[in-house]
Amino acid sequence: MHYFSQLFNYDHPWHHVVIGMWHKYPNPHCTHVVTIDVVDRSVDPKTGVIRTERILGCKQKAPTWIVKLFGGSEDAFVREISFIDPATQTATITSVNLSLSQFATCYENIRYLPTPDGRTTFTQTAEIQARMALWRSAADKLENWLVQRFEQNAQLGKAGFSDVLRNLWEAKQQQLSQS
């Protein structure tokens, strides 16, 4: 099993970041995410917590040895569930791969929390595990490739989301200042 984690502060308040979450895709940094389908969205009438379940469709160019060993295609799907709690100003997102999950799983957790200085802390962790106990060397190779790909996509995601936030909120500020 391999792990990935990162911590980052966005220079935007929590409520801006949460609104930006719904505008993250598509963006030019994350061209591998090609579809986003909302499967379910609900609001708990007692707590005000918003729960959203989405399926993200991705195109990933897998190395030839992975395709030969496991089959499959460039198309991959991820199930994402988010909880937005306006009372506690907490946003959490969990995701897991649906494609090729019989061979490897990637559990991702994201959390957005406000900071005292008006920014938002982003925490991301991922647990990646190949499910091929008999072929440990192939499993290690697969896990290493998956972690490397996850890290690359995480950096692209961070850059893309930073652009989305900047475009959403700096453009809004310019409009307000011109009024």
Side-chain angles (χ1 to χ4, degrees):
M1 187 174 314
H2 286 74
Y3 299 94
F4 170 83
S5 66
Q6 70 172 334
L7 179 74
F8 180 77
N9 284 323
Y10 286 104
D11 292 330
H12 295 273
W14 180 84
H15 63 280
H16 284 190
V17 171
V18 170
I19 291 169
M21 283 173 40
W22 310 118
H23 298 277
K24 183 174 180 179
Y25 304 113
N27 79 63
H29 294 276
C30 300
T31 56
H32 64 285
V33 179
V34 293
T35 61
I36 303 97
D37 295 297
V38 175
V39 176
D40 183 56
R41 181 171 285 143
S42 60
V43 178
D44 185 309
K46 292 180 182 162
T47 64
V49 172
I50 303 164
R51 179 194 181 276
T52 303
E53 182 174 351
R54 307 189 305 177
I55 303 295
L56 282 64
C58 305
K59 286 237 182 253
Q60 297 280 17
K61 183 69 177 151
T64 306
W65 71 268
I66 289 178
V67 174
K68 283 183 180 178
L69 191 60
F70 303 112
S73 72
E74 291 183 348
D75 298 323
F77 297 94
V78 174
R79 179 182 184 220
E80 174 192 272
I81 301 174
S82 64
F83 294 91
I84 310 299
D85 187 339
T88 63
Q89 290 193 326
T90 304
T92 57
I93 302 169
T94 58
S95 65
V96 65
N97 61 300
L98 299 174
S99 301
L100 299 176
S101 59
Q102 70 273 33
F103 299 112
T105 54
C106 177
Y107 294 103
E108 177 186 25
N109 290 292
I110 293 174
R111 189 177 196 97
Y112 296 101
L113 295 169
T115 65
D117 64 356
R119 298 184 307 156
T120 303
T121 298
F122 164 78
T123 307
Q124 179 182 37
T125 60
E127 180 181 292
I128 298 166
Q129 181 177 20
R131 301 186 174 282
M132 305 175 310
L134 294 177
W135 300 330
R136 192 65 241 165
S137 66
D140 284 340
K141 215 172 169 183
L142 177 60
E143 285 177 2
N144 287 330
W145 180 80
L146 290 169
V147 168
Q148 183 180 32
R149 179 56 59 103
F150 190 90
E151 286 182 39
Q152 290 168 352
N153 288 342
Q155 294 311 311
L156 292 172
K158 186 168 67 171
F161 194 43
S162 292
D163 284 353
V164 166
L165 292 171
R166 187 171 32 263
N167 291 336
L168 273 175
W169 301 110
E170 288 178 9
K172 185 73 169 168
Q173 289 293 54
Q174 287 175 354
Q175 288 175 349
L176 291 174
S177 66
Q178 293 172 356
S179 299

